[in-house]
Amino acid sequence: MSSAASRPAAGPFDRGHTDDLMAFLMASPSPYHAVASVASRLEAAGFRQVEETAAWDAATPTGESAGHGGKYVVRGGAIIAWYVPEGAAPHTPYRIVGAHTDSPNLRVKPRPDMGAHGWRQVAVEIYGGALLNTWLDRDLGLAGRLTLRDGSHHLVDVGRPLLRVPQLAIHLDRGANDGLKLERQRHMQPVWGIGDVHEGDLISFLADEAGVDAEDVSGWDLMVHPVEAPAYLGRDRELLAGPRMDNLLSVHAAVAALASLAGRDDLPYIPVLAAFDHEENGSEADTGAQGPLLGNVLERSVYARGGSYEDRARAFAGTVCLSSDTGHAVHPNYGERHDPTHHPRVNGGPILKVNVNQRYATDGGGRALFAAACERAGVPWQSFVSNNDMPCGTTIGPITAARHGIKTVDIGVAILSMHSARELCGADDPYLLANALVAFLEG
C-alpha cells in the first residue's frame, strides 16, 4: 500500500465529487440513461458527438477532423469519448480508462403482462449475477428505452415506487432464516397492481410516461431499479450507500477526469473514456468490450488525422488502459473469505487487482505505472488478490488486452455488497479514484 496521505495532495476533486456521484447514480437508472448523462457532461466540457455513419475527415463539419478537440461516439448503452490535443501526431498513443455502464438487475421480458390470484405482475428475466434477496420487499421503479417503428429510441424512467417483489411471510416459510431459497422463475416476478391482466398494459403505461403513442412502440429494453436515493452513512458520514456503484462509480470518475483535461494541449497522450455495456453477462455484444467498438473508434481517429496502418500499430503499441471496476473490500463478518495478506479497506484509496491466471490483466509493469500515477496525485492505493480457495471474478481488462493488444491494468474501488440492489463504499474513495485517473490520463 502507498504511504501517501489519506487525501489527495493536489487534484481537481474533493468530497464534492462524491456529492455529484450521488446525483449521477439517480440520473442513470439504466445503461442508456448513464450514456445520456455522460454525453451531457461531455457536451458541457466542449466535446461533440461523432456519428459512426459519418465520414471522419476534415471535409465533414460534423465528423472527426484532423485537428484537435473532444469527440464522443454513442452506441446503445456504450459510449467512447476522447480528446485530441493540438498537434497530436497520427501515431500518438492513447491513455484509456475502461469501465461499464450495466449492473445486475431484473429486466422486462418481451411479453411483460402477467399475473396470478388477482395480482397484476410484470414478467422479468434475471440479468447478470444479481444478489436476488436484495431485490425483495424494496420499492422499485422501471427505466430503459422504448423503440418506435421509425427506429428512434426514447428514454423512459418511472423513478417512483411502481413495483415490488414481495417475500413470503415467515409464517408460511418457517425455515426462511435457516437458508432462503429463491427460484428465479417463480419467486422474482414483481407485482404492480391488482385486477385482471390485459396484454399491452405495461407498454401503454410506459408510452404515456415517455410521451409517445403506444401504437408506435415496437420494441423495448427495460429494467427494474430501486428508487431509494443514495445516502451518506455512519456517524461521521464516512460511508456511501447507493445503487449501481458497480460500475457507475468508475464511469462517473472517468468522465470527470476526462472532462477536466479538455483544452489541455500539452498532453503527451490522447485521453480516452471507454464505457461498455453488457459486462455483467460476458461482454459479448456489439456494445460490449468483446465487440469491435473501441478498436474501430481508435483506428478511425488515427486515420482521420492522416495516419497509416503503421501509425495505428505504433499508437496501439504505446497505449495503456486502466480497466476500472469495483472490487471487494474486506468484510467485517466474513474475513476468512479474503486472502489473509490482502485486506482492502474502504477509504483506503483505489485497489490494484492482480490474478496470475489472467482474470485480471495487471502485471508488474502495470503495477509500477499505476503506483506512479497515484503518487503524482497524492492518492493512497491498495492491492487486491483473491483467496486461493475462492474463485476469482473478472472484468473487461483481460478482454481489452487480448482483443486490441493493449497493455491493460485492472483497478477499481473497494466496496461491500457487490451485485446487491444497494452497495456500500467509502465516501472518500470516489474522488480518490478520480484524482488518480487524472494523473494517469495526463501522463
Side-chain angles (χ1 to χ4, degrees):
M1 182 185 297
S2 166
S3 60
S6 62
R7 300 292 188 275
F13 305 116
D14 55 19
R15 178 62 78 88
H17 174 88
T18 305
D19 295 336
D20 189 63
L21 168 62
M22 297 165 73
F24 181 78
L25 292 173
M26 286 300 289
S28 307
S30 77
Y32 315 109
H33 288 83
V35 165
S37 297
V38 169
S40 176
R41 290 163 181 259
L42 291 172
E43 289 279 344
F47 286 69
R48 295 295 176 259
Q49 184 172 1
V50 179
E51 297 294 339
E52 288 188 85
T53 55
W56 290 14
D57 56 56
T60 57
T62 61
E64 157 77 324
S65 74
H68 75 291
K71 308 291 192 301
Y72 68 91
V73 164
V74 170
R75 182 188 290 187
I79 183 167
I80 311 293
W82 65 104
Y83 179 80
V84 182
E86 182 73 52
H91 61 267
T92 298
Y94 299 96
R95 281 286 176 100
I96 305 168
V97 177
H100 66 88
T101 61
D102 61 319
S103 303
N105 56 20
L106 315 178
R107 302 210 171 184
V108 176
K109 291 183 176 180
R111 298 186 63 184
D113 298 292
M114 62 175 293
H117 307 294
W119 293 95
R120 297 169 66 196
Q121 294 175 276
V122 175
V124 297
E125 190 173 6
I126 311 302
Y127 177 83
L131 198 58
L132 296 182
N133 67 291
T134 67
W135 291 86
L136 303 178
D137 297 334
R138 189 181 292 273
D139 294 339
L140 303 170
L142 201 57
R145 66 179 183 178
L146 303 174
T147 303
L148 305 190
R149 297 183 188 279
D150 62 5
S152 63
H153 302 295
H154 292 260
L155 296 181
V156 61
D157 177 19
V158 183
R160 62 183 184 275
L162 178 70
L163 305 152
R164 184 182 179 93
V165 182
Q167 188 171 352
L168 185 63
I170 195 168
H171 311 79
L172 304 177
D173 185 8
R174 296 289 183 177
N177 288 331
D178 299 324
L180 180 64
K181 174 67 175 177
L182 293 172
E183 296 181 22
R184 292 171 169 240
Q185 181 62 38
R186 292 179 56 206
H187 300 149
M188 295 306 298
Q189 310 305 317
V191 300
W192 75 303
I194 56 176
D196 296 333
V197 176
H198 300 286
E199 187 171 352
D201 270 0
L202 180 69
I203 300 305
S204 179
F205 165 74
L206 293 174
D208 286 343
E209 290 284 318
V212 300
D213 191 336
E215 295 297 321
D216 290 335
V217 178
S218 59
W220 50 86
D221 301 280
L222 301 166
M223 57 210 70
V224 174
H225 65 90
V227 298
E228 184 182 2
Y232 289 111
L233 185 147
R235 185 194 66 180
D236 300 318
R237 293 162 55 89
E238 69 268 49
L239 302 172
L240 176 67
R244 299 178 295 280
M245 286 195 281
D246 178 17
N247 187 33
L248 293 185
L249 188 158
S250 294
V251 174
H252 177 259
V255 70
L258 178 61
S260 76
L261 298 177
R264 287 276 305 275
D265 290 325
D266 59 336
L267 301 174
Y269 304 99
I270 296 172
V272 179
L273 160 65
F276 299 103
D277 197 358
H278 296 299
E279 188 273 348
E280 297 294 356
N281 58 6
S283 296
E284 292 184 345
D286 69 315
T287 53
Q290 297 251 34
L293 181 59
L294 176 61
N296 287 349
V297 167
L298 299 184
E299 289 180 355
R300 292 182 70 180
S301 181
V302 168
Y303 300 146
R305 296 194 304 279
S308 63
Y309 181 82
E310 183 71 10
D311 292 312
R312 179 260 186 218
R314 291 175 67 189
F316 276 45
T319 292
V320 182
C321 174
L322 283 190
S323 164
S324 182
D325 199 353
T326 56
H328 302 294
V330 62
H331 197 296
N333 300 332
Y334 299 92
E336 74 281 359
R337 303 295 182 97
H338 301 266
D339 183 82
T341 60
H342 295 80
H343 283 173
R345 299 181 180 228
V346 297
N347 289 333
I351 57 174
L352 179 75
K353 301 179 180 181
V354 178
N355 180 265
V356 295
N357 294 306
Q358 287 298 290
R359 300 293 283 173
Y360 302 127
T362 306
D363 62 9
R367 182 184 192 277
L369 188 150
F370 179 64
C374 289
E375 183 177 355
R376 288 195 302 275
V379 169
W381 60 277
Q382 312 172 79
S383 293
F384 171 83
V385 65
S386 289
N387 186 310
N388 282 320
D389 292 326
M390 302 291 293
C392 180
T394 189
T395 182
I396 65 170
I399 296 170
T400 303
R403 177 168 181 82
H404 305 293
I406 290 173
K407 183 176 184 62
T408 304
V409 187
D410 277 296
I411 66 162
V413 161
I415 69 172
L416 291 182
S417 307
M418 187 184 295
H419 288 198
S420 169
R422 194 168 177 84
E423 296 158 325
L424 185 70
C425 75
D428 294 343
D429 282 328
Y431 72 80
L432 293 174
L433 172 65
N435 281 297
L437 295 184
V438 170
F440 164 74
L441 288 175
E442 66 184 3

